[in-house]
Amino acid sequence: MTERPTRTLVSTERHGPVALLTLEHAGSYNALGRDLVTELTGRLTDAAADPDVRVVVLTGAGPAFCAGADIAEVPAMIGAAPTDELPFDRLFDVLTDYPTPTVAAVRGIAYGGGCELALACDIAIAGRSARFAVPEVTLGVIPGAGGTQRLVHAVGKSKAMRMLLSGDPVDAAWACDAGLVADVVDDDEVVPAAIGLARRIAGNAPRAVALAADAARRAHDQPLREGLATERHHFLRALGTDDAREGLSAFTAGRTPAFTGR
């Protein structure tokens, strides 16, 4: 039986309805080794099961968000079949279907799997020191955790190809202009800005937020006509909730709504 690390590789802080998860392996620039991936997956699963958590913010300790896969562990994947589960598959599967919105707060490098981790979140906020890259081709491989797919959706084919085929890093300003991140702020404001945005999201009707996020995520997977049908279906589901009645009543009365998640 494999022993789990005794020290914490991912810490959790609560900020009201927001869970802040921090990668705590700064000595390796928060590289996605098997132990860190397992612990992060568990922390995300725990937060998803907590009804009081409405948004999750993900960040990295030290000078980097995440340097990507632990290169020392990559050779163990050689010879794997396309149907075999890789160490990071479960983590990215969890993020793909996450029940609440996720926000990446990125300072320093987000390379390889770190860039894919930011892309897998719903929103990314970058510090001015942030650098994004998918340098796998410089090592003779390609991204394996959604980089070729999510990057094209995020920034478009030409810009994605520039990053994927050159392996060159891009800075925070380029990433924001391209659509990879939503906002750029000073480094010391990255986590507070992400938590502030998460709190604003958490203040909205939880089921409406979840349905809006699900419909938007599906826009990547469905033709427009199917996506519009999904949106209409989710709109009617939201309209039938207690929160919709509360929101409409509060708007008419000129007061702040008190959403319950029902």
Side-chain angles (χ1 to χ4, degrees):
M1 181 176 179
T2 303
E3 292 186 5
R4 294 292 304 280
T6 55
R7 65 192 184 90
T8 298
L9 296 175
V10 182
S11 64
T12 303
E13 294 179 19
R14 284 293 298 275
H15 297 263
V18 178
L20 172 65
L21 305 187
T22 304
L23 309 184
E24 297 280 4
H25 202 187
S28 71
Y29 296 98
N30 301 314
L32 296 176
R34 185 182 297 271
D35 291 333
L36 188 150
V37 166
T38 299
E39 189 166 336
L40 177 56
T41 304
R43 298 276 185 175
L44 284 166
T45 301
D46 290 344
D50 186 338
D52 294 326
V53 172
R54 295 189 178 181
V55 185
V56 168
V57 173
L58 179 61
T59 194
F65 175 70
C66 174
D70 186 336
I71 298 300
E73 296 184 5
V74 173
M77 303 179 203
I78 295 173
T83 55
D84 291 344
E85 183 173 294
L86 298 177
F88 45 74
D89 285 348
R90 177 60 181 153
L91 169 61
F92 285 90
D93 285 346
V94 166
L95 282 170
T96 297
D97 298 317
Y98 209 66
T100 66
T102 53
V103 181
V106 182
R107 291 171 296 200
I109 62 173
Y111 286 2
C115 186
E116 290 172 307
L117 193 59
L119 285 166
C121 292
D122 294 310
I123 303 169
I125 306 296
R128 302 192 194 283
S129 70
R131 298 292 182 271
F132 300 86
V134 276
E136 284 85 349
V137 294
T138 68
L139 302 176
V141 294
I142 72 167
T148 63
Q149 305 303 300
R150 290 191 175 99
L151 192 58
V152 171
H153 286 304
V155 305
K157 178 184 175 184
S158 186
K159 288 182 171 65
M161 287 292 194
R162 177 188 186 276
M163 292 181 66
L164 288 162
L165 304 185
S166 71
D168 292 343
V170 299
D171 63 19
W174 189 98
C176 190
D177 288 344
L180 200 161
V181 304
D183 298 296
V184 178
V185 299
D186 290 339
D187 276 11
D188 59 358
E189 289 298 317
V190 173
V191 172
I195 291 173
L197 174 60
R199 282 184 176 275
R200 294 195 298 277
I201 293 170
N204 294 322
R207 290 183 65 185
V209 166
L211 288 167
D214 182 69
R217 290 169 184 167
R218 289 171 183 264
H220 290 167
D221 305 325
Q222 297 177 328
L224 177 60
R225 192 171 297 277
E226 291 180 20
L228 291 171
T230 296
E231 179 184 88
R232 185 176 186 277
H233 176 264
H234 284 13
F235 165 75
L236 292 172
R237 287 179 62 189
L239 197 59
T241 63
D242 291 345
D243 276 349
R245 286 184 282 275
E246 165 63 11
L248 294 170
S249 175
F251 179 82
T252 301
R255 60 178 175 81
T256 300
F259 295 123
T260 62
R262 296 193 295 272

